[in-house]
Amino acid sequence: IKDINYFVSTGVEQGWFEENVETLNETELLLTDGSLLRPDRVIIKQKEVLIIDYKTGAEEKHHLKQLESYAGVLHQMRYSNIKTIIIYPSLGKLLTSDAT
């Protein structure tokens, strides 16, 4: 329950649940080589795209690389102003980065 409360309070603070946003949960991104990527959540606001991934356990470098790959695909799809967010609910930690 603590993890859920952290997600909800963070989402409310960040405006992730507003009516004017499009939310895609675990939507597959098809790569040119036929492989798929599946970010946990993509939120499309008026002028920005947020890529959100939830992680359990310890913070690891490959988590950032994973989000960078998601952002690269969305950039190829002509989205701009892309931000990545990694949430570690059990650690109470949120890492953000501007991908574009």
Side-chain angles (χ1 to χ4, degrees):
I1 292 178
K2 176 184 163 191
D3 293 353
I4 293 170
N5 287 336
Y6 180 77
F7 165 73
V8 171
S9 64
T10 301
V12 168
E13 290 170 13
Q14 300 289 324
W16 300 343
F17 304 117
E18 295 173 357
E19 289 184 29
N20 62 342
V21 301
E22 180 180 356
T23 301
L24 307 170
N25 293 309
E26 296 193 22
T27 298
E28 294 178 340
L29 304 174
L30 179 64
L31 304 180
T32 55
D33 67 1
S35 61
L36 298 171
L37 294 177
R38 189 177 297 123
D40 290 336
R41 178 176 280 231
V42 176
I43 297 175
I44 302 170
K45 289 185 165 190
Q46 292 173 333
K47 295 188 178 190
E48 72 179 348
V49 175
L50 306 174
I51 303 168
I52 304 170
D53 237 29
Y54 310 100
K55 301 296 183 188
T56 58
E59 187 178 332
E60 297 185 33
K61 289 182 181 181
H62 74 273
H63 295 161
L64 290 172
K65 292 185 185 284
Q66 184 180 30
L67 263 71
E68 289 171 3
S69 66
Y70 298 158
V73 171
L74 288 169
H75 186 68
Q76 288 176 354
M77 295 170 66
R78 306 280 187 239
Y79 286 99
S80 58
N81 197 16
I82 301 169
K83 296 184 180 186
T84 62
I85 301 168
I86 301 175
I87 299 176
Y88 296 93
S90 61
L91 302 176
K93 189 169 188 175
L94 179 133
L95 301 175
T96 62
S97 173
D98 288 330
T100 58

